[in-house]
């Protein structure tokens, strides 16, 4: 079964850091580009970051540029999101999503909740 | 960035009746290879998004045939032939032609009358 499982969310104070992980199984992880997408409580979906299959190309949304770092370890079938200098507006469920061969997001994880509050 | 605009944002439907959701993009989603990267997702309460439709009208594996997608260029539609109770949730359109960023519609909440 193709599966993505996120972990690492939690409650953090403004200015703090968290590292999210996404464990992939059931497919050849090293062949696929990946995204992080977030959803604030009761809100819509917002793309956060992209990483190509090799890790050589990375993009970020303007709202997180300079604060978040995406990375991957193909040997461990894992995707990561290092989040620094967190703000209240970063509070959201964070999903990892696989990018299909036609650049759509075809498989999503169950999400991990990040709450930034004092 | 491509702006995706959905309507309506709330859609009360009677069980067994059809439902239709519109999605418009601020620029054409036709890709150079002739592919249009417009996708529809269903998000049931408390769940993560699940893709239903890709490339405007192709159903993902396991998606009931009561779901159909249509449209071209900048105007797209998701139709549910006969709404069932399990169809309750929020439906999003998403474009993957002009990225980054991938952009989503605001979401349409489908509920049973």
């Amino acid at each position: 079964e193709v599966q993505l499982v996120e972990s690492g969310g939690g409650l953090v104070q403004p200015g703090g850091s968290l590292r999210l992980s996404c464990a992939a199984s059931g497919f050849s992880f090293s062949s696929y580009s990946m995204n992080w997408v977030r959803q604030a409580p009761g809100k819509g979906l917002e793309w956060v970051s992209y990483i190509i299959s090799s890790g050589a190309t990375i993009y970020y949304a303007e709202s997180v540029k300079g604060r978040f770092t995406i990375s991957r370890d193909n040997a461990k079938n894992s995707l990561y999101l290092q989040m620094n200098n967190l703000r209240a507006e970063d509070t959201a469920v964070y999903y990892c999503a696989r990018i299909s061969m036609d650049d759509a997001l075809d498989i999503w994880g169950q999400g991990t909740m990040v709450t930034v509050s004092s | 960035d491509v702006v995706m605009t959905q309507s309506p944002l709330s859609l009360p439907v009677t069980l067994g009746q059809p439902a239709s959701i519109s999605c418009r993009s601020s620029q054409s989603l036709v890709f150079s290879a002739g592919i249009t990267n417009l996708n529809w997702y269903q998000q049931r309460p408390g769940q993560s998004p699940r893709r239903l439709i890709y490339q405007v009208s192709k159903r993902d594996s396991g998606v009931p045939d009561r779901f159909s997608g249509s449209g071209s260029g900048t105007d797209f539609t998701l139709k549910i032939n006969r709404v069932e109770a399990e169809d309750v949730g929020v439906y999003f359109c998403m474009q993957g032609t002009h990225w980054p960023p991938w952009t989503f519609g605001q979401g349409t909440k489908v509920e049973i009358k």
Side-chain angles (χ1 to χ4, degrees), chain B residues 69-86:
Chain B
S70 63
S72 63
T74 61
D75 289 342
F76 306 94
T77 302
L78 175 70
K79 292 183 179 177
I80 309 175
N81 194 14
R82 287 180 296 275
V83 172
E84 298 187 6
E86 65 178 17

Side-chain angles (χ1 to χ4, degrees), chain A residues 10-82:
Chain A
L11 175 63
V12 61
Q13 292 187 340
S17 298
L18 275 178
R19 188 193 194 208
L20 306 183
S21 298
C22 170
S25 60
F27 66 99
S28 177
F29 178 73
S30 61
S31 298
Y32 287 85
S33 301
M34 299 291 294
N35 270 340
W36 285 99
V37 177
R38 68 185 180 183
Q39 186 173 35
K43 301 297 184 181
L45 298 163
E46 178 190 16
W47 170 77
V48 173
S49 185
Y50 160 92
I51 186 166
I52 202 170
S53 54
S54 65
T57 300
I58 286 171
Y59 299 114
Y60 298 100
E62 287 298 322
S63 57
V64 307
K65 198 174 290 185
R67 301 186 299 122
F68 289 12
T69 302
I70 191 172
S71 63
R72 65 191 296 159
D73 185 335
N74 287 341
K76 294 183 177 179
N77 291 332
S78 293
L79 175 72
Y80 306 101
L81 186 67
Q82 176 66 42

Side-chain angles (χ1 to χ4, degrees), chain B residues 47-79:
Chain B
Q47 295 187 12
S48 59
R50 166 202 181 196
R51 194 175 68 173
L52 301 175
I53 302 286
Y54 64 100
Q55 293 179 23
V56 180
S57 60
K58 299 179 180 180
R59 272 190 303 275
D60 274 277
S61 176
V63 174
D65 60 7
R66 64 179 180 274
F67 290 94
S68 64
S70 63
S72 63
T74 61
D75 289 342
F76 306 94
T77 302
L78 175 70
K79 292 183 179 177

